[in-house]
Amino acid sequence: MKKIVKEMKKISHPDKKTLFKDTSFVLITCVITSGIISLIDLGLTELISLLV
Amino acid sequence: MKTIKLILKNQELKRKILFTLLLLLGLRILCSIPTPGVNGSYFKDLIQTNTSLGFLNTLTGNGLSSLSIMTLSVTPYITASIVMQLLGVAFPTLHELQKGMKDDRKKYERITICLGGVLGLVEGIAMAVNFGKQGMLISYTWYWVLLVALIWTIAAIGSSLVGKLISDKFIGNGMSLILLTNILSSYPSDIKNLYDVFIKGKTIGVAILAIVIILISVFLLFAFTSLIQDSEKNIIVNYSGKSFNGKNLVKNKMPIKLCPGGVVPIIFASSIVSSVAMLGTLLKANDNIFFKIFNTGMWFDIDNPFASIGVIFYVLMIFGFSYFYTDMVFNPKEVSDNIKKHGGNISGIRAGSSTSDYIKKQIKVMIAIGSIALSIIALIPIILSGVWGLARLSFLGTSILITVNVIIESRKIIQSNLLGTSYTYSGGIF
């Protein structure tokens, strides 16, 4: 356990600013894309229920 | 904004992105088309009670729950990839094909797609036969069993081919992008699940507090995942020879990622758990203790303490696949030979086998730490599901790893295209 903690200290991480920017970018992309996909899905479901 | 403007100016990149999006849209349309002769609501309740199947449903973009023609989606291809990787250990020829030149790799991909087709047909027939009897098929005859299985298989092969087409001709890693769109399509139902459990029927004050806590938790979880993906250990390699500033020693960093196998180990482990859960459902043996162990919905459930043994298997599989997969894709001897060939060395370590052993040791340490981190992320949704009785949340666990990995890597690919450089998809899923 001690060895793992010691090794963890040697690992380099992205700085807080980069991490915040990356996380925000991922979340915004997720929200926009899932919004678009759910709109497409809703439209298609309606269309198919009309056709079937 | 600046990147979007640059993309719009770059005709070639604009075309590639547009065609990629059109192909992904095409697959989404297929996900909405119901399979003929099938009772579309058959799987909905089953998925709510078995979270292992919920993961499979997320990977198929809700194709499984709605029993659309994309019921199998790219899952047979994922299984085929796992089988091929394992076969590579037993048959060195396969391993050489995978590691070989472009033509060899193409041949390997073709074999994987064909194997995916065979597995899809077997899976399709098994599902149609067993669930068909139980009411999934409107008319249980050999004709309908075969037709439904064929439709699912053809759609599965088609989606794998679309994935390969995107990777070869357009932008990004096709298979990863298909998985991403499938996962993102489940987000709205996740929001509804969270709303039902934490917000619905609560006072305004409690509801606002719940929303704030959920938003902060989601942000922190995404940040932790990004942190894991971007963390690495740098090994300093000294190269002798004249550098541009006249010094004789050039120091280069050799990064080793925290999770050298990327998200593959966790996908492999989750796929095995889901496959066993599916087998239990097929055999109508979900109450059997063995299949309960593989039902993630029963882990951390006070009423089924014995089922939580499955967590130990799951974590062991994540560790095992991390070592196994990294061992296949990363060859320390090859790296040490390359360092030696270019006149480099690691401080305090002799060239040759000592360097190779040192790199191997460093990778093992990184895999151990990375596997702990992967296990934490993988277990969060399972704990939530067990403690709060939440239905599977697709933005957590394996899905969050795929989501963060694919979005960050795709951004890097687009940026490198804008700069006119080539970027190799690191930690790519398939």
Side-chain angles (χ1 to χ4, degrees), chain B residues 152-200:
Chain B
W152 289 345
T153 310
I154 292 166
I157 296 172
S159 52
S160 309
L161 289 173
V162 168
K164 282 288 150 211
L165 183 71
I166 293 174
S167 301
D168 295 344
K169 306 270 179 201
F170 304 114
I171 201 126
N173 181 304
M175 219 58 81
S176 308
L177 287 171
I178 293 172
L179 279 180
L180 177 71
T181 38
N182 286 350
I183 291 167
L184 291 179
S185 70
S186 302
Y187 275 29
S189 62
D190 289 341
I191 295 169
K192 194 187 168 295
N193 272 334
L194 285 172
Y195 172 80
D196 287 344
V197 175
F198 296 108
I199 300 164
K200 197 178 173 184

Side-chain angles (χ1 to χ4, degrees), chain A residues 3-4 7-8 10-14 19-27 29-30 33-34 37-38 40-41 44-45 48 52, chain B residues 25 28-29 32 34 181 184-185 187-188 218-219 222-223 226-227 230-234 258 365-366 369 403-404 407-408 411:
Chain A
K3 201 183 167 193
I4 288 178
E7 288 295 333
M8 274 169 86
K10 292 179 192 167
I11 297 169
S12 64
H13 310 288
L19 192 64
F20 183 80
K21 271 170 78 178
D22 280 352
T23 310
S24 308
F25 174 76
V26 171
L27 276 170
T29 311
C30 284
T33 319
S34 64
I37 292 172
S38 53
I40 294 168
D41 284 351
L44 286 168
T45 314
I48 286 163
V52 177
Chain B
L25 175 71
R28 252 350 284 160
I29 292 172
S32 303
T181 38
L184 291 179
S185 70
Y187 275 29
V218 168
F219 188 87
F222 271 81
S226 301
L227 183 77
D230 286 338
S231 296
E232 55 194 25
K233 186 174 183 180
N234 291 311
L258 184 60
V365 172
M366 292 302 272
I369 301 169
T403 307
V404 173
I407 292 176
I408 300 273
R411 185 177 68 172

Side-chain angles (χ1 to χ4, degrees), chain B residues 76-127:
Chain B
Y77 182 84
I78 296 173
T79 316
S81 298
I82 300 172
V83 173
M84 288 290 282
Q85 305 270 9
L86 295 173
L87 284 176
V89 181
F91 303 101
T93 328
L94 270 180
H95 189 64
E96 279 164 25
L97 275 181
Q98 189 194 13
K99 290 268 202 175
M101 303 300 282
K102 203 179 170 187
D103 284 345
D104 290 339
R105 286 203 302 273
K106 273 196 169 173
K107 202 173 168 186
Y108 180 87
E109 281 163 8
R110 256 182 256 140
I111 298 171
T112 312
I113 289 177
C114 289
L115 182 63
V118 174
L119 291 175
L121 189 64
V122 171
E123 202 181 329
I125 290 175
M127 278 175 73

Side-chain angles (χ1 to χ4, degrees), chain B residues 3-34:
Chain B
T3 314
I4 294 172
K5 276 180 191 167
L6 286 171
I7 292 170
L8 291 173
K9 278 182 194 167
N10 189 325
Q11 290 299 321
E12 178 62 14
L13 186 59
K14 204 165 75 179
R15 188 189 67 84
K16 281 182 177 178
I17 293 175
L18 196 69
F19 274 102
T20 305
L21 292 176
L22 280 175
L23 285 170
L24 293 174
L25 175 71
L27 288 182
R28 252 350 284 160
I29 292 172
L30 291 180
C31 272
S32 303
I33 299 174

Side-chain angles (χ1 to χ4, degrees), chain B residues 382-399:
Chain B
I382 297 162
I383 295 169
L384 285 178
S385 151
V387 178
W388 276 292
L390 270 174
R392 188 179 178 86
L393 296 171
S394 54
F395 65 87
L396 299 179
T398 313
S399 313

